[in-house]
Amino acid sequence: MHRRVLASLPVLLLAVPAHAQAPAPAHVEEQQPLIILPEMPPPPLVLDLPDYPEYVPFVKAGPPRLPLPVRAMLEAAMKTDDSASVAALVKFAQQTQPYDKDEIRDMQRAFNDRRAKEIAAKTEAELARIRASGVLELWTGKVEVGAFRSTGNTDNFGFTAALNLDRKGINWEHIIQARADYQEDRGRVTREQYAAIYQPRYTLNEGFFTYGRVQYERDVIQGFEDRYTLSGGLGYRVLDRPGMTMALEAGPAARRINYVDQVDRTDWSVLTSVDFDWTINPTIKLTQDASAYIGSDNNTLTSMTAIEAGMAKGLKAKLSYSIEHETSPPIGSLKTDTISRFSLVYGF
Protein backbone atom coordinates (compact mmCIF):
# COMPACT_ATOMS: atom_id res chain seq x y z
CA MET A 1 0.00 0.00 0.00
CA HIS A 2 2.75 2.42 0.98
CA ARG A 3 4.74 1.51 -2.10
CA ARG A 4 1.76 2.47 -4.40
CA VAL A 5 1.40 5.86 -2.74
CA LEU A 6 5.08 6.58 -3.04
CA ALA A 7 5.13 5.53 -6.71
CA SER A 8 2.28 7.91 -7.65
CA LEU A 9 3.77 10.84 -5.75
CA PRO A 10 5.89 12.21 -8.71
CA VAL A 11 2.82 12.32 -11.01
CA LEU A 12 0.96 14.39 -8.50
CA LEU A 13 3.87 16.79 -8.16
CA LEU A 14 3.97 17.34 -11.95
CA ALA A 15 0.26 17.97 -12.08
CA VAL A 16 0.33 20.55 -9.35
CA PRO A 17 2.02 23.41 -11.34
CA ALA A 18 -0.41 23.10 -14.26
CA HIS A 19 -3.31 23.21 -11.95
CA ALA A 20 -1.87 26.22 -10.19
CA GLN A 21 -1.54 28.32 -13.42
CA ALA A 22 -5.25 28.01 -14.39
CA PRO A 23 -7.39 31.02 -13.29
CA ALA A 24 -9.78 30.21 -10.54
CA PRO A 25 -13.47 30.80 -11.10
CA ALA A 26 -14.99 33.86 -9.51
CA HIS A 27 -17.40 31.95 -7.43
CA VAL A 28 -14.65 29.75 -6.12
CA GLU A 29 -13.00 31.03 -3.04
CA GLU A 30 -9.30 31.35 -3.01
CA GLN A 31 -7.77 28.06 -1.82
CA GLN A 32 -4.78 27.61 0.39
CA PRO A 33 -1.59 26.70 -1.38
CA LEU A 34 -0.73 22.96 -1.40
CA ILE A 35 2.13 21.99 0.90
CA ILE A 36 4.36 19.32 -0.52
CA LEU A 37 6.11 17.23 2.12
CA PRO A 38 9.57 15.95 1.43
CA GLU A 39 10.06 12.28 0.68
CA MET A 40 10.22 10.23 3.99
CA PRO A 41 12.82 7.47 4.36
CA PRO A 42 11.59 3.95 5.17
CA PRO A 43 11.47 2.96 8.87
CA PRO A 44 14.56 1.23 10.22
CA LEU A 45 14.72 -2.57 10.17
CA VAL A 46 14.48 -4.04 13.66
CA LEU A 47 15.65 -7.64 14.27
CA ASP A 48 14.21 -9.61 17.17
CA LEU A 49 17.27 -11.66 18.30
CA PRO A 50 18.07 -13.38 21.66
CA ASP A 51 20.42 -11.68 24.07
CA TYR A 52 24.09 -12.21 23.21
CA PRO A 53 25.85 -14.28 25.94
CA GLU A 54 28.59 -12.80 28.00
CA TYR A 55 32.18 -13.64 27.08
CA VAL A 56 33.46 -16.83 28.70
CA PRO A 57 37.24 -17.15 28.76
CA PHE A 58 38.70 -20.52 27.56
CA VAL A 59 41.33 -22.07 29.81
CA LYS A 60 43.15 -25.17 28.52
CA ALA A 61 43.19 -27.89 31.25
CA GLY A 62 44.25 -31.52 31.33
CA PRO A 63 42.26 -34.50 32.62
CA PRO A 64 41.59 -34.93 36.38
CA ARG A 65 44.65 -36.04 38.35
CA LEU A 66 44.93 -38.18 41.46
CA PRO A 67 45.55 -36.05 44.57
CA LEU A 68 49.22 -35.97 45.50
CA PRO A 69 48.75 -37.36 49.07
CA VAL A 70 46.86 -40.39 47.73
CA ARG A 71 49.47 -40.99 45.01
CA ALA A 72 52.30 -40.69 47.56
CA MET A 73 50.58 -43.25 49.81
CA LEU A 74 50.19 -45.76 46.95
CA GLU A 75 53.77 -45.26 45.75
CA ALA A 76 55.11 -45.83 49.29
CA ALA A 77 53.14 -49.08 49.57
CA MET A 78 54.35 -50.28 46.17
CA LYS A 79 57.98 -49.81 47.20
CA THR A 80 57.53 -52.48 49.92
CA ASP A 81 56.67 -55.19 47.34
CA ASP A 82 53.82 -56.35 49.60
CA SER A 83 51.12 -57.31 47.11
CA ALA A 84 48.44 -57.84 49.76
CA SER A 85 48.92 -54.36 51.27
CA VAL A 86 48.97 -52.76 47.82
CA ALA A 87 45.72 -54.49 46.84
CA ALA A 88 44.02 -53.29 50.04
CA LEU A 89 45.16 -49.67 49.56
CA VAL A 90 44.11 -49.70 45.90
CA LYS A 91 40.65 -50.88 46.91
CA PHE A 92 40.19 -48.05 49.43
CA ALA A 93 41.70 -45.46 47.08
CA GLN A 94 39.21 -46.38 44.35
CA GLN A 95 36.35 -46.03 46.83
CA THR A 96 37.44 -42.58 48.03
CA GLN A 97 38.58 -41.29 44.61
CA PRO A 98 35.96 -42.68 42.18
CA TYR A 99 36.87 -40.18 39.43
CA ASP A 100 40.49 -41.36 39.45
CA LYS A 101 39.86 -45.10 39.14
CA ASP A 102 41.61 -45.35 35.79
CA GLU A 103 44.79 -43.72 37.08
CA ILE A 104 44.78 -45.90 40.22
CA ARG A 105 44.22 -48.99 38.08
CA ASP A 106 47.15 -48.02 35.85
CA MET A 107 49.41 -47.69 38.90
CA GLN A 108 48.37 -51.12 40.15
CA ARG A 109 48.87 -52.68 36.71
CA ALA A 110 52.38 -51.23 36.50
CA PHE A 111 53.16 -52.56 40.00
CA ASN A 112 51.88 -56.06 39.15
CA ASP A 113 53.88 -56.14 35.91
CA ARG A 114 57.04 -55.10 37.73
CA ARG A 115 56.55 -57.71 40.46
CA ALA A 116 55.87 -60.44 37.90
CA LYS A 117 59.11 -59.62 36.08
CA GLU A 118 61.08 -59.56 39.33
CA ILE A 119 59.64 -62.90 40.47
CA ALA A 120 60.32 -64.48 37.07
CA ALA A 121 63.91 -63.21 37.10
CA LYS A 122 64.42 -64.42 40.67
CA THR A 123 62.96 -67.83 39.85
CA GLU A 124 65.15 -68.20 36.79
CA ALA A 125 68.24 -67.23 38.80
CA GLU A 126 67.35 -69.75 41.50
CA LEU A 127 66.86 -72.53 38.94
CA ALA A 128 70.22 -71.69 37.39
CA ARG A 129 71.86 -71.81 40.83
CA ILE A 130 70.29 -75.21 41.58
CA ARG A 131 71.38 -76.65 38.22
CA ALA A 132 74.96 -75.49 38.80
CA SER A 133 75.14 -76.69 42.43
CA GLY A 134 77.16 -79.68 43.59
CA VAL A 135 76.10 -82.69 45.64
CA LEU A 136 77.22 -81.12 48.92
CA GLU A 137 75.45 -77.80 48.27
CA LEU A 138 71.87 -76.63 48.89
CA TRP A 139 71.61 -78.52 52.17
CA THR A 140 69.68 -77.00 55.07
CA GLY A 141 69.23 -78.55 58.45
CA LYS A 142 68.98 -78.29 62.20
CA VAL A 143 70.68 -79.83 65.22
CA GLU A 144 68.70 -80.71 68.33
CA VAL A 145 70.10 -81.35 71.82
CA GLY A 146 68.08 -81.80 74.99
CA ALA A 147 66.68 -84.02 77.71
CA PHE A 148 63.67 -86.30 78.00
CA ARG A 149 61.54 -88.18 80.44
CA SER A 150 60.31 -91.64 79.51
CA THR A 151 57.47 -93.79 80.86
CA GLY A 152 56.62 -97.38 80.07
CA ASN A 153 59.54 -99.77 79.90
CA THR A 154 61.62 -97.13 81.73
CA ASP A 155 60.66 -94.21 83.99
CA ASN A 156 63.69 -91.95 84.17
CA PHE A 157 65.33 -88.89 82.69
CA GLY A 158 67.84 -89.04 79.86
CA PHE A 159 69.49 -87.13 77.04
CA THR A 160 68.52 -86.82 73.39
CA ALA A 161 70.16 -85.56 70.23
CA ALA A 162 68.87 -85.30 66.66
CA LEU A 163 70.03 -84.17 63.23
CA ASN A 164 67.76 -83.27 60.30
CA LEU A 165 69.07 -82.45 56.82
CA ASP A 166 67.06 -81.47 53.76
CA ARG A 167 68.14 -80.76 50.19
CA LYS A 168 65.55 -79.47 47.72
CA GLY A 169 66.27 -79.39 44.03
CA ILE A 170 64.03 -78.75 41.04
CA ASN A 171 62.28 -82.13 41.15
CA TRP A 172 64.26 -84.08 43.74
CA GLU A 173 64.21 -83.71 47.51
CA HIS A 174 66.51 -85.61 49.87
CA ILE A 175 65.72 -85.99 53.58
CA ILE A 176 68.11 -87.37 56.19
CA GLN A 177 67.05 -87.81 59.82
CA ALA A 178 68.96 -89.25 62.76
CA ARG A 179 68.05 -89.49 66.44
CA ALA A 180 69.68 -90.91 69.55
CA ASP A 181 68.25 -91.32 73.05
CA TYR A 182 70.53 -92.51 75.84
CA GLN A 183 69.90 -92.98 79.53
CA GLU A 184 71.67 -94.46 82.52
CA ASP A 185 70.36 -95.15 85.99
CA ARG A 186 72.98 -95.89 88.66
CA GLY A 187 75.49 -97.02 86.08
CA ARG A 188 73.05 -99.23 84.24
CA VAL A 189 71.86 -98.36 80.74
CA THR A 190 68.09 -98.09 80.90
CA ARG A 191 67.49 -96.67 77.42
CA GLU A 192 69.56 -96.83 74.28
CA GLN A 193 67.60 -96.06 71.14
CA TYR A 194 69.02 -95.02 67.79
CA ALA A 195 67.25 -94.34 64.51
CA ALA A 196 68.31 -93.08 61.08
CA ILE A 197 66.24 -92.47 57.94
CA TYR A 198 67.15 -91.55 54.39
CA GLN A 199 64.23 -90.66 52.12
CA PRO A 200 64.43 -89.32 48.55
CA ARG A 201 61.36 -87.80 46.88
CA TYR A 202 60.71 -87.11 43.21
CA THR A 203 57.96 -84.65 42.29
CA LEU A 204 55.61 -85.85 39.55
CA ASN A 205 53.42 -82.74 39.49
CA GLU A 206 52.21 -80.12 41.94
CA GLY A 207 50.53 -82.67 44.21
CA PHE A 208 51.91 -86.17 43.64
CA PHE A 209 55.41 -87.49 44.24
CA THR A 210 57.16 -90.84 44.57
CA TYR A 211 59.42 -91.71 47.46
CA GLY A 212 61.82 -94.30 48.77
CA ARG A 213 62.80 -94.94 52.38
CA VAL A 214 65.71 -96.70 54.03
CA GLN A 215 65.44 -96.87 57.82
CA TYR A 216 67.60 -98.28 60.60
CA GLU A 217 66.55 -98.68 64.25
CA ARG A 218 68.14 -100.04 67.41
CA ASP A 219 66.32 -100.39 70.72
CA VAL A 220 67.58 -103.12 73.03
CA ILE A 221 65.12 -102.20 75.77
CA GLN A 222 62.27 -102.68 73.32
CA GLY A 223 63.66 -106.12 72.44
CA PHE A 224 65.53 -105.82 69.13
CA GLU A 225 69.14 -105.06 68.42
CA ASP A 226 68.68 -104.03 64.78
CA ARG A 227 65.69 -103.37 62.56
CA TYR A 228 66.11 -102.51 58.89
CA THR A 229 63.25 -101.20 56.76
CA LEU A 230 63.09 -100.70 53.01
CA SER A 231 60.01 -99.01 51.55
CA GLY A 232 58.81 -97.09 48.51
CA GLY A 233 55.53 -95.77 47.24
CA LEU A 234 53.43 -92.79 46.27
CA GLY A 235 52.86 -89.55 48.14
CA TYR A 236 50.44 -86.65 47.84
CA ARG A 237 50.74 -83.09 49.15
CA VAL A 238 47.32 -82.39 50.60
CA LEU A 239 48.37 -78.88 51.65
CA ASP A 240 51.15 -76.87 50.09
CA ARG A 241 50.77 -73.19 50.87
CA PRO A 242 52.88 -70.61 52.70
CA GLY A 243 53.00 -71.46 56.39
CA MET A 244 51.23 -74.82 56.15
CA THR A 245 52.15 -78.12 54.46
CA MET A 246 50.78 -81.63 54.76
CA ALA A 247 51.94 -84.74 52.89
CA LEU A 248 50.61 -88.31 52.91
CA GLU A 249 52.62 -91.39 51.89
CA ALA A 250 51.73 -95.02 51.35
CA GLY A 251 53.54 -98.03 49.95
CA PRO A 252 54.82 -101.56 50.65
CA ALA A 253 57.66 -102.15 53.10
CA ALA A 254 60.04 -104.98 53.97
CA ARG A 255 61.45 -105.20 57.52
CA ARG A 256 64.37 -107.30 58.75
CA ILE A 257 64.40 -107.62 62.55
CA ASN A 258 67.27 -108.98 64.67
CA TYR A 259 65.76 -109.71 68.08
CA VAL A 260 67.67 -109.91 71.34
CA ASP A 261 66.19 -113.20 72.58
CA GLN A 262 64.16 -114.44 69.63
CA VAL A 263 64.74 -115.78 66.16
CA ASP A 264 65.44 -113.14 63.52
CA ARG A 265 62.80 -112.73 60.84
CA THR A 266 61.74 -110.69 57.83
CA ASP A 267 58.24 -109.20 57.65
CA TRP A 268 56.27 -107.64 54.83
CA SER A 269 54.01 -104.76 55.69
CA VAL A 270 52.36 -101.61 54.38
CA LEU A 271 53.73 -98.23 55.36
CA THR A 272 51.50 -95.16 55.74
CA SER A 273 52.70 -91.83 57.07
CA VAL A 274 51.62 -88.22 57.48
CA ASP A 275 53.86 -85.16 57.75
CA PHE A 276 52.19 -81.91 58.89
CA ASP A 277 53.94 -78.56 59.46
CA TRP A 278 52.17 -75.36 60.50
CA THR A 279 54.04 -72.09 60.97
CA ILE A 280 51.61 -70.26 63.25
CA ASN A 281 53.66 -67.05 63.21
CA PRO A 282 57.31 -66.16 62.52
CA THR A 283 58.38 -67.50 65.95
CA ILE A 284 56.04 -70.47 66.62
CA LYS A 285 55.77 -73.68 64.61
CA LEU A 286 53.70 -76.83 65.18
CA THR A 287 54.65 -80.19 63.64
CA GLN A 288 52.98 -83.60 63.61
CA ASP A 289 54.70 -86.69 62.22
CA ALA A 290 53.06 -90.11 62.34
CA SER A 291 53.69 -93.46 60.67
CA ALA A 292 52.22 -96.94 60.75
CA TYR A 293 53.68 -100.26 59.61
CA ILE A 294 50.78 -102.67 59.16
CA GLY A 295 51.89 -106.31 58.93
CA SER A 296 50.46 -109.76 59.47
CA ASP A 297 52.31 -110.46 62.75
CA ASN A 298 53.14 -107.06 64.24
CA ASN A 299 52.06 -103.48 63.73
CA THR A 300 54.26 -100.51 64.63
CA LEU A 301 52.64 -97.14 65.26
CA THR A 302 54.63 -93.97 65.96
CA SER A 303 53.56 -90.38 66.51
CA MET A 304 55.46 -87.23 67.44
CA THR A 305 53.83 -83.89 68.18
CA ALA A 306 56.17 -80.94 68.65
CA ILE A 307 56.01 -77.20 69.06
CA GLU A 308 58.95 -74.87 68.42
CA ALA A 309 59.34 -71.30 69.70
CA GLY A 310 62.00 -68.91 68.47
CA MET A 311 64.44 -67.58 71.05
CA ALA A 312 67.15 -65.90 68.95
CA LYS A 313 68.34 -65.89 65.37
CA GLY A 314 68.64 -69.54 64.34
CA LEU A 315 67.91 -70.81 67.89
CA LYS A 316 64.60 -72.31 69.03
CA ALA A 317 63.20 -74.11 72.03
CA LYS A 318 61.34 -77.33 71.25
CA LEU A 319 58.88 -79.33 73.33
CA SER A 320 57.77 -82.68 71.90
CA TYR A 321 55.76 -85.72 72.89
CA SER A 322 56.13 -89.03 71.08
CA ILE A 323 54.33 -92.37 71.30
CA GLU A 324 55.66 -95.71 70.07
CA HIS A 325 53.35 -98.71 70.07
CA GLU A 326 54.05 -102.33 69.07
CA THR A 327 51.06 -104.65 68.85
CA SER A 328 53.24 -107.77 69.33
CA PRO A 329 56.46 -106.74 71.08
CA PRO A 330 59.14 -109.22 72.20
CA ILE A 331 58.49 -111.12 75.39
CA GLY A 332 59.14 -108.97 78.47
CA SER A 333 58.59 -105.63 76.70
CA LEU A 334 55.63 -103.32 77.07
CA LYS A 335 53.54 -102.43 74.04
CA THR A 336 53.70 -98.64 74.44
CA ASP A 337 56.50 -96.19 75.16
CA THR A 338 55.97 -92.45 75.59
CA ILE A 339 58.72 -89.87 75.60
CA SER A 340 58.49 -86.17 76.50
CA ARG A 341 61.46 -84.16 75.28
CA PHE A 342 62.64 -80.60 75.85
CA SER A 343 65.50 -79.50 73.65
CA LEU A 344 67.22 -76.60 71.95
CA VAL A 345 67.25 -76.51 68.18
CA TYR A 346 69.77 -74.67 66.04
CA GLY A 347 68.97 -74.21 62.34
CA PHE A 348 71.47 -73.65 59.57
Side-chain angles (χ1 to χ4, degrees):
M1 182 66 182
H2 294 288
R3 291 180 177 179
R4 294 178 180 178
V5 173
L6 294 176
S8 59
L9 184 59
V11 177
L12 294 176
L13 293 177
L14 294 174
V16 168
H19 179 74
Q21 294 177 1
H27 64 276
V28 178
E29 296 182 357
E30 184 178 358
Q31 296 181 353
Q32 295 293 329
L34 180 63
I35 300 174
I36 299 174
L37 297 176
E39 183 177 357
M40 300 297 293
L45 181 63
V46 179
L47 300 178
D48 187 9
L49 299 175
D51 296 337
Y52 189 78
E54 297 182 1
Y55 172 73
V56 178
F58 175 76
V59 178
K60 186 177 181 180
R65 297 297 302 273
L66 187 65
L68 293 180
V70 180
R71 171 177 284 275
M73 178 183 64
L74 292 174
E75 291 177 347
M78 292 176 181
K79 291 179 180 179
T80 63
D81 295 336
D82 188 348
S83 299
S85 299
V86 171
L89 287 177
V90 166
K91 179 180 178 180
F92 289 120
Q94 289 178 339
Q95 292 177 353
T96 57
Q97 307 293 330
Y99 297 105
D100 303 312
K101 286 185 176 181
D102 293 339
E103 187 173 356
I104 297 173
R105 192 178 296 111
D106 291 340
M107 293 180 64
Q108 185 183 23
R109 186 180 298 110
F111 168 76
N112 292 335
D113 293 342
R114 177 177 64 83
R115 286 294 298 149
K117 293 180 181 178
E118 292 176 352
I119 293 174
K122 184 177 180 180
T123 301
E124 185 62 28
E126 181 65 17
L127 292 177
R129 185 180 73 89
I130 293 174
R131 294 188 184 100
S133 62
V135 178
L136 300 180
E137 297 177 329
L138 304 179
W139 288 96
T140 61
K142 56 186 179 180
V143 178
E144 179 181 342
V145 178
F148 67 88
R149 181 179 185 275
S150 64
T151 62
N153 291 300
T154 61
D155 189 4
N156 291 296
F157 287 94
F159 300 94
T160 183
L163 173 65
N164 295 314
L165 299 175
D166 190 357
R167 186 184 190 275
K168 292 183 179 180
I170 300 176
N171 294 319
W172 283 96
E173 180 181 6
H174 300 271
I175 301 172
I176 298 177
Q177 297 175 339
R179 178 175 295 280
D181 294 333
Y182 184 81
Q183 180 184 55
E184 287 187 2
D185 184 11
R186 298 179 182 180
R188 183 174 63 91
V189 178
T190 56
R191 185 176 187 86
E192 187 178 6
Q193 185 184 54
Y194 307 99
I197 299 174
Y198 168 62
Q199 179 171 324
R201 290 179 176 177
Y202 181 80
T203 301
L204 300 175
N205 54 38
E206 292 183 357
F208 289 95
F209 61 90
T210 59
Y211 76 92
R213 175 180 290 193
V214 179
Q215 182 173 341
Y216 169 78
E217 300 170 272
R218 175 183 173 85
D219 192 344
V220 177
I221 305 300
Q222 191 68 13
F224 57 89
E225 292 189 3
D226 303 294
R227 182 162 62 185
Y228 304 90
T229 304
L230 180 62
S231 176
L234 186 65
Y236 180 69
R237 295 182 179 90
V238 180
L239 296 173
D240 190 8
R241 61 191 185 194
M244 184 177 294
T245 61
M246 181 176 177
L248 302 178
E249 297 176 347
R255 310 181 79 186
R256 174 65 179 179
I257 307 173
N258 300 328
Y259 290 103
V260 176
D261 298 325
Q262 297 183 19
V263 179
D264 300 343
R265 72 181 188 202
T266 301
D267 293 336
W268 290 92
S269 61
V270 175
L271 168 63
T272 60
S273 66
V274 58
D275 182 2
F276 175 73
D277 295 336
W278 178 22
T279 303
I280 301 174
N281 56 48
T283 59
I284 298 178
K285 182 178 180 180
L286 176 67
T287 62
Q288 173 64 57
D289 297 324
S291 64
Y293 289 92
I294 310 299
S296 58
D297 297 329
N298 181 41
N299 300 330
T300 302
L301 309 175
T302 62
S303 174
M304 177 181 287
T305 305
I307 186 168
E308 299 178 0
M311 299 176 59
K313 184 178 180 180
L315 185 63
K316 296 181 179 180
K318 181 178 180 180
L319 180 63
S320 64
Y321 180 77
S322 63
I323 301 174
E324 299 178 4
H325 179 76
E326 302 277 349
T327 58
S328 299
I331 299 174
S333 300
L334 297 178
K335 292 185 176 181
T336 304
D337 270 1
T338 63
I339 304 176
S340 300
R341 297 182 177 92
F342 176 78
S343 56
L344 296 177
V345 180
Y346 178 74
F348 58 91

